[in-house]
Amino acid sequence: MSAAPSRSVNASAPAATRIYAVGDIHGRADLLSEITARIDDDIRRRPVAHTVEVYLGDYIDRGPHSRTVMDLLAVRLVANRAVCLRGNHEAVMEGFLQDPAILQYWQQLGGMQTLASYGVELRNGTETANDLHRRFLDAFPREHELVMQCLRNQFSCGDFLFVHAGIRPDVPLDDQDPNDLIWIRDEFLDCTRNHERFVVHGHTPVPHPDIRSNRINIDTAAWRTGTLTCIAIEGSTILFL
């Protein structure tokens, strides 16, 4: 791991603590399996007193294996006490689990790939959103319901804040609108001022991790690029696994 690139930032993790953060997965269970193996190997090679594992949301949609991603995250939640954040795609799926009318919007975000991963595909041209809703409820495992119940909108550790999309500048962290945390783009991305904490986020795809003075974006569009980004934060150093 010593050959991996690293950067220093004006923020620090707690003493004797290493934070692993993983970008948007979007149904790429193959890449997630590789990343979790790298995390486990890094911990074996470089022992540290405390480790924190954070997944930044958008586990589902677009890629082919959303169900398997959820299976893998369920294991990490239990075995590693991983922190799983809510992405906008999870929020839309939560909406569909409550209301079949959300299907049309979810389809635009890659929801049909998620349904297919659970074995729920259109059988014929006469099936309705209500039909798919009922079949999805039947196919959605209890373990995945528990994962959804564990999702957080934000997580702080030391000087770092982990969110899916970003924060609204100049609004205290305790007063942030949850919708901003999972949906915001330009107002946050264009802000060059320091926030209460250094922000680690995804949501807006970038060709490579984008480090700014006040934030880092690690959404490298894994579902289409084949690159799932994981960083390890220790002290003020960000290491790219």
Side-chain angles (χ1 to χ4, degrees):
M1 304 307 298
S2 59
S6 64
R7 290 280 297 273
S8 292
V9 295
N10 188 28
S12 184
T17 299
R18 186 181 305 139
I19 311 166
Y20 296 94
V22 179
D24 303 31
I25 301 164
H26 281 303
R28 289 298 302 266
D30 55 338
L31 302 179
L32 177 59
S33 293
E34 293 174 9
I35 285 293
T36 55
R38 283 190 212 169
I39 292 172
D40 294 342
D41 182 62
D42 190 44
I43 294 170
R44 283 192 296 268
R45 290 170 179 261
R46 303 188 302 134
V48 64
H50 305 287
T51 60
V52 182
E53 206 168 303
V54 186
Y55 296 87
L56 296 182
D58 281 5
Y59 314 119
I60 60 167
D61 297 347
R62 296 183 174 150
H65 301 122
S66 292
R67 177 174 183 150
T68 306
V69 168
M70 294 290 284
D71 286 336
L72 293 170
L73 291 175
V75 172
R76 303 303 284 195
L77 271 166
V78 174
N80 295 44
R81 291 182 290 179
V83 174
C84 291
L85 300 181
R86 175 178 287 100
N88 58 303
H89 287 257
E90 285 76 52
V92 174
M93 183 173 75
E94 287 174 321
F96 178 67
L97 285 165
Q98 299 295 322
D99 181 3
I102 300 294
L103 179 64
Q104 186 173 4
Y105 180 59
W106 192 22
Q107 284 178 299
Q108 300 171 34
L109 299 179
M112 297 309 289
Q113 289 93 324
T114 296
L115 290 173
S117 75
Y118 285 88
V120 180
E121 299 183 83
L122 283 172
R123 291 172 175 162
N124 54 59
T126 64
E127 273 201 313
T128 66
N130 285 328
D131 294 329
L132 288 175
H133 179 255
R134 283 193 296 270
R135 290 171 55 202
F136 187 44
L137 286 177
D138 289 341
F140 201 68
R142 174 62 178 160
E143 293 81 3
H144 295 189
E145 292 179 18
L146 295 173
V147 171
M148 300 297 286
Q149 291 171 15
C150 290
L151 299 183
R152 307 190 198 186
N153 291 322
Q154 60 175 292
F155 173 72
S156 294
C157 188
D159 297 330
F160 293 91
L161 173 72
F162 301 84
V163 292
H164 175 63
I167 60 174
R168 188 161 294 280
D170 303 321
V171 174
L173 296 182
D174 290 341
D175 297 331
Q176 291 284 326
D177 183 337
N179 282 324
D180 283 336
L181 299 176
I182 63 174
W183 287 102
I184 199 167
R185 289 195 197 273
D186 293 345
E187 300 94 329
F188 168 68
L189 298 175
D190 294 340
C191 179
T192 58
R193 299 185 299 280
N194 287 337
H195 306 295
E196 289 180 51
R197 290 183 173 85
F198 188 92
V199 181
V200 181
H201 69 98
H203 183 56
T204 301
V206 287
H208 47 75
D210 182 12
I211 302 183
R212 305 295 178 96
S213 62
N214 57 358
R215 62 179 179 86
I216 178 172
N217 180 358
I218 60 171
D219 175 11
T220 44
W223 67 278
R224 58 180 167 80
T225 65
T227 300
L228 178 60
T229 295
C230 176
I231 59 174
I233 303 169
E234 195 164 358
S236 297
T237 299
I238 296 178
L239 183 76
F240 298 89
L241 292 190

